[in-house]
């Protein structure tokens, strides 16, 4: 076979097939048997199905993918297969058979017969044609429900395994820093604790299903200057450590993720793909990560083409390999001939190749890809269905929990029976308004001959099922400048009892949408002439329910204070139309809370709630960054009373404040009662306020939360067992410390609406908190006993 040297069949060489050995031991046994070409072949992916026409692909992609000679590229083996389902519409069962055929060819072509590891996108579900589309990550954050997100991750993972996929390129753990960034829709929110807990839950679901979760994008990507994609990141190391890195740390420790993808960005002049201190020093040596680091697509070549820190491909490969990137994706480029030549010329130490190879082979061993009895076609593949009833039901449950009611004056919601309702707006009857950019229909582009592959009912369709007397006018497009339909929309509103006005985004890639990768915004005004439509409809005097289906928070302007209600849905998935209609009509009680603040001013320096005093409104600036609706805000159709906030069993006190040892924990609790006539769910949020510290600190930051469903008249006691570790931050020394002094734990309905505050004093000597620190509180929700029980 191609002149290969026969495999050594001695007992020692067979060790890599021995399933009784650990994955690391099997990898160690195989590495010495491989030639340099065979080693490097395991460190790349191949994207044989990439569209070389230039249509529907990313900038630079057509320059870098090139043509692939399949027989040649698999001759020495292959590390990964890139997106076999996510390149073009293919029937899932047929796709599984095709993938199995490719794997058989890979196994037969090389000396060791090792199959490729297959990866796919899975941010809003398995990114395959006809696969269920779940709500976008901002909706995960809006749900404040890690358990449901974990359930979703598990179902997505099982569908991928059934299709022969091994690795998922999700979740995105970037903390939103500037809402103008197009990929805001892919983030879970603006708070690191919310992002970390929800993201870790998704990882647990994916990993329990046997899929390697890949944390994206490590790190700093979302903090680019001006919210521009791939722009430099002017971030200090404290912001990196205290805001950006914690979600990754949580997903590794609490979720068990086995892969990390580098960020495209540069931080303080150093591209992450070449940053050894981040990818090796922090990730591996300090945090103890043992999985694989894969490059974001083309990120290694970008060290030469976009960053200018490498002179050619071999130089770029050397920088990335030394920094700690093990696998180059999406296809063989610099980790191919350029790397091989550099090793042979003595410019790159082969030991760096071996280091990456051990990690890759150990992961393949974990996945069963080194086993002699590995099967190329999973047993479920022939009957593969990716959009079954349970998947849709789960997508609907999450969509329902993610709808956020921001405003409801005069109790216009839920809509009363018998009303004449006008539905207007460019996203009201658009199924694509439900989908984020990493869903298959939005990411892959239009294929009219295949259709969407899914039923995605629009808001108009679903509301029409619940409201008999309904009229519809589009009004305007999402981005076009045509205002000719606005008058008809206003007339429809004027002739109705209530108008549901639906505005927002269409997700796309690199300027082909208003939200999504490469679809950054210059300001936070609604796209196109939608503001004119909003003003015209509000001017009719008809009560207006303003519905947003969007991928980022938009500043709605002071005129929207005339709206009777404002409701937000963050790309709620294929069942999002139903979820939104059910919330508007009261069939479902709203329980979503904002994972991002909604700004008041479209052009006023987007800033999240995580700011020190001078980041908020002050007398020294004429710009007021106070949001229209703060992080954590959301209304229900009932009312909740909060009472009896206290420290549970305080042992000591310093003055009037209970003592909290710097190496201990404190239990604080509050009682929540549903005082209204309807069932509802309150989201109890716990914030830390640190008034005096050695570095500036956010005025408040989230450290715990709990969803509390309650029937009318019922109550529950919510208790948080809070370790002092959660108060830690990077101090003047550059190390993470727990600092003694006065603090407050505040129970909030949002980051700006505190129901109660518990003063405490951290006591003891300042201590360092490392990677083994506790990352959050234990939470207990104890409901009052039902009537008739003790």
């Amino acid at each position: 076979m191609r002149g290969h040297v026969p495999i050594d069949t001695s007992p020692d060489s067979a060790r890599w097939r021995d399933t009784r050995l650990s994955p690391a031991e099997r990898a160690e046994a195989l590495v010495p048997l491989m030639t340099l070409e065979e080693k490097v072949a395991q460190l790349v992916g191949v994207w044989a199905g990439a569209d070389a026409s230039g249509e529907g692909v990313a900038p630079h992609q057509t320059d870098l993918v090139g043509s692939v000679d399949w027989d040649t590229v698999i001759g020495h083996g292959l590390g990964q297969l890139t997106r076999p389902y996510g390149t073009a519409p293919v029937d899932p069962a047929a796709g599984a058979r095709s993938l199995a055929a490719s794997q058989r060819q890979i196994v037969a072509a090389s000396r060791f017969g090792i199959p490729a590891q297959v990866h796919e996108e899975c941010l809003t579900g398995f990114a395959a044609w006809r696969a269920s589309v779940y709500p976008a990550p901002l909706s995960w954050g809006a749900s404040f429900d890690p358990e449901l997100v974990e359930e979703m991750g598990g179902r997505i993972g099982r569908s991928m395994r059934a299709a022969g996929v091994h690795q998922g390129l999700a979740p995105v753990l970037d903390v939103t820093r500037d809402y103008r960034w197009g990929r805001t829709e892919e983030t879970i929110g603006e708070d690191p604790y919310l992002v970390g807990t929800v993201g870790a839950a998704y990882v647990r679901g994916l990993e329990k299903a046997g899929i390697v979760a890949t944390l994206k994008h490590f790190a700093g990507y979302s903090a680019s200057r001006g919210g521009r994609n791939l722009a430099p990141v002017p971030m200090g190391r404290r912001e990196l450590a205290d805001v950006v890195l914690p979600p990754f740390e949580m997903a590794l420790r609490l979720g068990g993720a086995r892969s990390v993808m580098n960020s495209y960005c540069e931080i303080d002049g150093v591209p992450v793909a070449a940053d050894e201190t981040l990818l090796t020093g922090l990730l591996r040596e300090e945090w103890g990560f043992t999985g694989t680091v894969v490059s974001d697509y083309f990120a290694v070549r970008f060290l030469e083409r976009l960053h200018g820190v490498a002179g050619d491909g071999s130089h770029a490969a050397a920088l990335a390999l030394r920094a700690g990137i093990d696998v180059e994706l999406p296809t063989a480029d610099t980790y191919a001939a350029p790397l091989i030549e550099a090793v042979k010329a003595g410019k790159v130490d082969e030991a760096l190749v071996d280091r990456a190879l051990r990690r890759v082979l150990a992961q393949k061993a974990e996945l069963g890809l080194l086993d002699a009895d590995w099967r190329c076609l999973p047993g479920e593949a022939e009957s593969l269905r990716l959009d079954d009833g349970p998947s849709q039901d789960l997508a609907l449950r999450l969509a329902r929990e993610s709808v956020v009611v921001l405003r409801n004056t005069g109790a216009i919601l839920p809509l009363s029976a018998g009303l004449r309702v006008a539905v207007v707006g460019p996203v009201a009857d658009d199924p694509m308004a439900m989908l984020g950019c990493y869903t298959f229909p939005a990411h892959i582009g239009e294929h009219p001959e295949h259709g969407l592959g899914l039923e995605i009912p629009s808001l108009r369709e679903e509301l029409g099922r619940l409201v008999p007397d309904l009229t519809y006018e589009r009004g305007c497009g999402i981005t076009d400048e045509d205002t000719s339909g606005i008058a008809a929309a206003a007339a429809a509103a004027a002739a109705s009892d209530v108008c549901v006005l639906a505005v927002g985004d269409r997700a796309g890639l690199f300027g082909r949408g208003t939200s999504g990768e490469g679809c950054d915004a210059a300001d936070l005004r609604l796209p196109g002439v939608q503001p004119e439509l909003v003003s015209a409809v509000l001017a009719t005097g008809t009560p207006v329910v303003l519905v947003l289906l969007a991928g980022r928070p938009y500043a709605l302007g002071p005129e929207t204070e005339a709206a009777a209600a404002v409701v937000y849905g963050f790309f709620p998935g294929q069942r999002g139309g139903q979820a939104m209609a059910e919330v508007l009509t009261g069939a479902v009680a709203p329980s979503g809370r904002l994972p991002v603040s909604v700004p008041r001013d479209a052009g006023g320096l987007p800033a999240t709630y995580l700011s020190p005093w001078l980041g908020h409104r002050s007398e020294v600036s004429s710009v007021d960054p106070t949001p229209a609706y703060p992080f954590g805000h959301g209304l229900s159709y009932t009312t909740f009373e909060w009472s009896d906030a206290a420290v549970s069993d305080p042992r000591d006190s310093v003055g009037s404040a209970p003592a909290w040892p710097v190496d201990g924990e404190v239990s604080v609790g509050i009682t929540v009662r549903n005082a209204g006539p309807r069932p509802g769910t309150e989201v109890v949020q716990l914030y830390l306020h640190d008034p005096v510290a050695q570095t500036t600190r956010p005025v408040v930051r989230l450290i715990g939360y709990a969803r509390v469903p309650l029937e009318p008249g019922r109550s529950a006691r919510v208790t948080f067992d809070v370790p002092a570790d959660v108060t830690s931050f990077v101090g003047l020394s550059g190390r993470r410390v727990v600092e003694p002094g006065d603090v407050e734990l505040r129970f909030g309905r949002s980051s700006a609406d505190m129901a109660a505050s518990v003063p405490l004093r951290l006591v003891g000597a300042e201590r360092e908190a490392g990677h083994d620190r506790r990352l959050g509180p234990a939470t207990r929700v104890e409901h009052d006993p039902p009537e008739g029980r003790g």
Side-chain angles (χ1 to χ4, degrees):
M1 294 179 60
R2 302 178 185 273
H4 285 309
V5 177
I7 300 174
D8 181 359
T9 57
S10 66
D12 286 343
S13 71
R15 285 172 55 81
W16 66 276
R17 289 287 196 192
D18 190 345
T19 58
R20 295 170 297 180
L21 300 179
S22 70
E25 289 172 324
R26 296 173 70 183
E28 193 65 44
L30 181 53
V31 170
L33 306 179
M34 304 179 81
T35 67
L36 176 61
E37 289 76 11
E38 289 168 335
K39 292 175 180 179
V40 171
Q42 291 295 322
L43 307 185
V44 297
V46 167
W47 197 355
D51 184 356
S53 70
E55 295 298 323
V57 297
H60 309 290
Q61 180 172 307
T62 53
D63 297 332
L64 297 175
V65 172
S67 60
V68 173
D69 184 327
W70 177 250
D71 290 337
T72 300
V73 81
I74 67 174
H76 293 293
L78 182 62
Q80 294 220 7
L81 276 171
T82 293
R83 304 206 62 193
Y85 291 91
T87 301
V90 60
D91 178 79
R97 290 193 297 271
S98 175
L99 175 58
S102 297
Q103 290 280 38
R104 279 192 288 269
Q105 291 172 339
I106 293 166
V107 168
S110 60
R111 275 206 304 157
F112 295 97
I114 301 171
Q117 188 164 325
V118 182
H119 75 260
E120 266 296 351
E121 299 286 357
C122 58
L123 189 62
T124 55
F126 181 17
W129 192 51
R130 293 183 175 172
S132 293
V133 177
Y134 296 87
L138 274 181
S139 283
W140 310 356
S143 76
F144 277 74
D145 192 344
E147 290 77 15
L148 187 56
V149 171
E150 180 175 346
E151 186 179 346
M152 176 189 69
R155 182 161 288 278
I156 292 170
R158 288 190 294 275
S159 70
M160 296 172 76
R161 284 292 288 179
V165 177
H166 310 104
Q167 181 170 358
L169 303 188
V172 170
L173 298 181
D174 297 295
V175 177
T176 303
R177 303 299 284 164
D178 189 326
Y179 314 130
R180 295 173 296 183
W181 189 47
R183 303 190 80 165
T184 294
E185 64 164 73
E186 298 179 48
T187 72
I188 295 168
E190 67 182 52
D191 179 85
Y193 184 76
L194 179 66
V195 174
T197 49
V198 173
Y202 178 85
V203 168
R204 282 194 299 274
L206 212 60
E207 288 281 356
K208 287 178 182 177
I211 293 293
V212 175
T214 308
L215 309 183
K216 298 160 57 173
H217 305 87
F218 189 76
Y221 192 20
S222 58
S224 58
R225 185 179 280 116
R228 295 178 61 247
N229 199 39
L230 270 69
V233 173
M235 178 188 293
R237 289 288 161 175
R238 285 188 178 83
E239 183 181 358
L240 181 70
D242 287 337
V243 177
V244 171
L245 292 177
F248 293 95
E249 198 172 1
M250 295 175 79
L252 292 172
R253 286 185 52 194
L254 306 180
R258 288 180 285 172
S259 189
V260 170
M261 175 179 279
N262 74 282
S263 163
Y264 282 131
C265 76
E266 62 168 81
I267 302 175
D268 194 24
V270 180
V272 172
D275 192 342
E276 188 173 3
T277 62
L278 189 61
L279 298 182
T280 296
L282 176 72
L283 181 62
R284 295 196 182 278
E285 295 171 2
E286 186 175 336
W287 288 2
F289 177 65
T290 59
T292 58
V293 176
V294 301
S295 80
D296 204 341
Y297 284 12
F298 313 109
V300 181
R301 180 64 77 171
F302 286 174
L303 293 174
E304 173 201 358
R305 299 280 179 87
L306 301 184
H307 291 296
V309 297
D312 56 23
S314 64
H315 189 188
L319 290 175
L321 193 63
R322 184 175 297 111
I325 290 181
D326 303 312
V327 180
E328 182 182 32
L329 299 179
T331 201
D333 181 21
T334 70
Y335 280 25
L339 178 58
I340 292 169
E341 292 166 7
V343 172
K344 289 181 176 178
K347 297 179 180 179
V348 174
D349 190 343
E350 191 170 348
L352 291 176
V353 174
D354 291 349
R355 182 182 70 173
L357 179 62
R358 289 187 188 96
R359 297 164 182 162
V360 168
L361 293 177
Q363 191 162 95
K364 285 195 170 187
E366 291 174 357
L367 294 167
L369 298 177
L370 300 189
D371 297 353
D373 61 352
W374 174 81
R375 295 174 57 194
C376 62
L377 186 67
E380 311 96 314
E382 287 297 338
S383 58
L384 191 59
R385 186 180 173 192
L386 303 178
D387 188 36
D388 57 13
S391 299
Q392 292 192 40
D393 290 345
L394 182 53
L396 176 59
R397 287 165 54 200
L398 184 55
R400 286 167 170 164
E401 290 191 2
S402 71
V403 174
V404 188
V405 175
L406 303 183
R407 178 182 176 88
N408 190 19
T409 60
I412 192 69
L413 294 179
L415 298 174
S416 302
L419 293 174
R420 296 171 300 158
V421 177
V423 176
V424 304
V427 302
D429 200 30
D430 182 2
M432 294 297 291
M434 304 295 167
L435 310 184
C437 82
Y438 267 77
T439 57
F440 185 92
H443 199 73
I444 306 306
E446 300 291 341
H447 289 269
E449 69 277 17
H450 293 281
L452 293 177
L454 296 169
E455 290 187 10
I456 307 176
S458 68
L459 174 59
R460 175 196 177 187
E461 289 178 77
E462 291 293 347
L463 199 56
R465 301 180 199 277
L466 303 174
V467 179
D469 192 359
L470 184 148
T471 59
Y472 166 71
E473 288 287 344
R474 182 166 179 259
C476 67
I478 295 172
T479 58
D480 62 49
E481 299 299 317
D482 183 6
T483 60
S484 61
I486 292 179
S496 301
D497 298 318
V498 175
C499 177
V500 175
L501 172 56
V503 294
D505 280 322
R506 185 179 179 96
L509 291 168
F510 303 103
R512 297 190 290 274
T514 59
S515 174
E517 186 173 0
C519 298
D520 309 318
D523 58 41
L524 295 174
R525 281 186 282 266
L526 283 166
V529 297
Q530 292 184 84
E532 295 181 39
L533 174 66
V534 172
S535 296
V537 172
L538 288 172
T540 65
T542 297
V544 172
V545 178
L546 182 61
V547 172
L548 291 104
L549 296 170
R552 63 165 59 87
Y554 281 105
L556 305 178
E559 66 273 10
T560 59
E561 294 179 5
V566 179
V567 185
Y568 229 109
F570 296 100
F571 288 147
Q574 74 179 93
R575 302 295 291 274
Q578 179 180 346
M580 181 64 74
E582 290 173 338
V583 168
L584 296 181
T585 58
V588 168
S591 62
R593 300 294 185 266
L594 283 176
V596 286
S597 305
V598 173
R600 188 177 303 277
D601 184 355
L605 297 176
T608 72
Y609 92 99
L610 278 179
S611 296
W613 285 112
L614 287 177
H616 294 264
R617 182 179 181 181
S618 72
E619 296 179 355
V620 298
S621 173
S622 59
V623 175
D624 181 1
T626 304
Y629 301 100
F631 171 86
H633 172 73
L635 303 178
S636 183
Y637 292 155
T638 188
T639 56
F640 296 97
E641 295 175 348
W642 297 33
S643 62
D644 303 323
V647 176
S648 304
D649 191 25
R651 299 178 182 177
D652 301 297
S653 61
V654 180
S656 60
W660 184 4
V662 294
D663 58 353
E665 74 171 30
V666 66
S667 295
V668 294
I670 196 165
T671 297
V672 179
R673 177 176 176 271
N674 184 347
R678 294 172 175 266
T681 297
E682 182 67 296
V683 178
V684 176
Q685 301 160 47
L686 184 67
Y687 292 88
L688 172 71
H689 172 61
D690 189 349
V692 179
Q694 57 188 267
T695 66
T696 61
R697 306 295 303 134
V699 176
V700 292
R701 64 180 176 91
L702 185 72
I703 62 168
Y705 58 86
R707 284 179 60 89
V708 186
L710 289 170
E711 294 295 320
R714 308 310 297 270
S715 63
R717 183 75 177 172
V718 183
T719 303
F720 298 94
D721 300 324
V722 188
D725 285 345
V726 304
T727 70
S728 66
F729 59 93
V730 176
L732 292 172
S733 65
R735 299 189 304 273
R736 179 174 292 280
V737 297
V738 177
E739 183 182 35
D742 292 324
V743 296
E744 292 179 8
L745 294 180
R746 297 178 173 180
F747 293 96
R749 300 180 182 90
S750 75
S751 59
D753 182 6
M754 299 300 163
S757 179
V758 178
L760 298 158
R761 184 169 183 81
L762 286 160
V763 296
E766 178 180 300
R767 71 175 183 86
E768 190 169 339
H771 180 57
D772 59 349
R773 71 189 184 282
R774 291 174 62 184
L775 298 174
T779 305
R780 303 189 303 278
V781 178
E782 300 169 288
H783 291 263
D784 58 358
E787 295 180 10
R789 296 178 63 182

